[in-house]
Amino acid sequence: MTLDIEKAFLELDQLTSAIEETENEPYLESLIFALRAIQTEEALDLPNKKTAENLASLKKSFFDEDTTSESIRKVIQLSLIKGMKGSTQHQHLVTPDSVAMFMGYFIQKLMPDTKQFRLFDPASGAANLLTAVINQVEANVTGYGSEIDPTLIQLAVESANLQKVEVEYFHQDSLTPFLLEPVDTIVADLPVGYYPNDEQASKFELNADEGHAYSHHLFIEQSMMYTKDAGYLLFLIPNFLFTSDQSDNLQKYLRNNAHILALLQLPLSMFSSEQHAKSILVLQKHGKETKPPKQTLMAQLPSFKDVHATHNILKKIDDWFKTEK
């Protein structure tokens, strides 16, 4: 029997809210306790019989042999979205599923015959993007994620465990060195803003000439360092990435280190305002046998509710891949 995502979310939400009340913890911290309780026999101070029934139902449905990792991720994602709406911290945001879908689809097209690869998200948050991509591609993927926020990384660990997805996490500032061999592919929803650690920023080529460097620029450079030659990088970027101050240095850096394969602008309807709009940037790191595309794929993605327009854009992408072979 397939998992009823809406029913499971309501049960998880009620369980989380009950923990929030009894433990006097914020919703996201309470969600950690809830996800842990589903996987363990850890005793919880549950307020009533209904909450205990919700927990028992979630244990049964999440561990049913017909339940997929992706359906579990979607249930957890709904709870993350609810929790992050009530969060005051700007970094508590969930990457939309449509973005993860396109990134996964693109990786599949870039590496159609690859049976296994290593994937790293240096700005993994609660790892919704990372696990969504892993669940989507057909290859056997070993995942890595990095996140400095203690709440988000605990959520990421519990979520990956419930999905039975193999991910190794680094709890650290993602712009400091990793004990990680370069990976095949990077995905990241780039954190946008200034990076406050000027001393660490000074070690980067994309450090600012004066004032603070942009964290989104440094994340691109850091990602390049941990990508194999000829590896792929897929970023969710702000639309102003190539027009803001310091962008000249970024463009020069990219010309010297990568091929820009595609720039896919997401529909404006996904964002609260035009200044918050984003695009998917697809890069290939320079390698011995790599060459720039005959033509960079530029596209304005339609609303994903428009099935006909989405079908047309997928055909355009397929045609681009055929001409690039």
Side-chain angles (χ1 to χ4, degrees):
M1 190 174 77
T2 55
L3 181 68
D4 184 331
I5 290 170
E6 191 174 341
K7 176 175 176 283
F9 162 63
L10 289 173
E11 290 171 344
L12 181 56
D13 179 46
Q14 287 166 8
L15 175 60
T16 304
S17 298
I19 295 169
E20 187 179 17
E21 210 171 290
T22 56
E23 300 292 333
N24 197 26
E25 290 278 0
Y27 188 92
L28 288 176
E29 277 79 354
S30 302
L31 180 58
I32 296 167
F33 287 115
L35 297 177
R36 205 170 283 153
I38 294 167
Q39 301 170 72
T40 66
E41 298 306 315
E42 199 174 296
L44 274 179
D45 181 18
L46 299 175
N48 52 47
K49 186 181 174 187
K50 174 65 179 163
T51 311
E53 286 172 354
N54 283 337
L55 176 56
S57 175
L58 285 164
K59 281 177 181 277
K60 186 180 178 202
S61 57
F62 274 24
F63 290 102
D64 186 286
E65 61 181 24
D66 293 330
T67 298
T68 64
S69 299
E70 182 61 3
S71 56
I72 291 171
R73 184 195 64 79
K74 285 181 176 176
V75 173
I76 296 170
Q77 180 196 35
L78 291 170
S79 294
L80 287 171
I81 290 169
K82 177 178 175 179
M84 289 176 186
K85 276 182 180 171
S87 171
T88 55
Q89 298 204 50
H90 179 66
Q91 73 269 32
H92 286 182
L93 296 169
V94 178
T95 307
D97 265 6
S98 48
V99 173
M101 179 196 83
F102 256 88
M103 285 189 174
Y105 168 76
F106 232 90
I107 290 169
Q108 198 70 51
K109 298 290 287 184
L110 289 165
M111 307 192 297
D113 303 318
T114 304
K115 297 289 186 280
Q116 59 182 44
F117 65 90
R118 294 164 67 243
L119 177 70
F120 179 36
D121 183 347
S124 58
N128 186 63
L129 171 61
L130 179 61
T131 55
V133 170
I134 291 172
N135 290 341
Q136 191 179 333
V137 299
E138 290 172 14
N140 179 21
V141 180
T142 303
Y144 302 89
S146 177
E147 176 56 48
I148 196 168
D149 185 293
T151 300
L152 296 183
I153 200 162
Q154 285 181 79
L155 284 165
V157 169
E158 300 302 337
S159 176
N161 286 344
L162 273 167
Q163 293 179 62
K164 297 184 175 63
V165 172
E166 187 183 342
V167 181
E168 181 182 329
Y169 290 104
F170 300 91
H171 183 202
Q172 66 178 71
D173 176 349
S174 296
L175 296 175
T176 57
F178 291 104
L179 281 170
L180 177 69
E181 290 294 314
V183 299
D184 302 285
T185 309
I186 298 264
V187 292
D189 185 344
L190 294 180
V192 177
Y194 290 107
Y195 181 54
N197 187 339
D198 293 338
E199 185 182 345
Q200 184 60 26
S202 69
K203 299 169 185 174
F204 287 81
E205 198 176 317
L206 289 174
N207 185 29
D209 294 330
E210 52 185 55
H212 293 319
Y214 282 133
S215 58
H216 41 294
H217 290 189
L218 301 186
F219 263 89
I220 290 173
E221 184 175 340
Q222 179 81 323
S223 298
M224 206 76 77
M225 279 192 257
Y226 288 94
T227 306
K228 290 178 181 176
D229 288 351
Y232 297 104
L233 305 94
L234 296 91
F235 297 120
L236 187 61
I237 61 165
N239 281 358
F240 57 76
L241 183 72
F242 294 117
T243 56
S244 63
D245 62 312
Q246 301 182 32
S247 65
D248 287 351
N249 285 344
L250 175 65
Q251 291 187 52
K252 181 183 173 187
Y253 174 82
L254 289 177
R255 279 196 300 273
N256 292 337
N257 293 279
H259 306 298
I260 297 179
L261 302 183
L263 186 62
L264 307 169
Q265 194 171 328
L266 293 165
L268 292 176
S269 58
M270 286 178 64
F271 304 97
S272 56
S273 68
E274 197 169 329
Q275 71 187 74
H276 293 117
K278 296 189 175 186
S279 299
I280 298 170
L281 175 66
V282 185
L283 305 172
Q284 183 177 29
K285 184 175 176 178
H286 286 169
K288 283 180 182 174
E289 295 181 9
T290 63
K291 56 182 188 288
K294 295 170 191 151
Q295 185 172 4
T296 298
L297 174 62
M298 310 282 281
Q300 168 76 56
L301 300 181
S303 166
F304 298 107
K305 292 173 185 171
D306 187 335
V307 177
H308 180 70
T310 301
H311 175 78
N312 286 344
I313 203 74
L314 290 176
K315 185 177 183 308
K316 178 179 177 178
I317 293 169
D318 283 347
D319 290 344
W320 179 82
F321 272 98
K322 285 172 190 168
T323 61
E324 289 297 323
K325 279 182 179 175

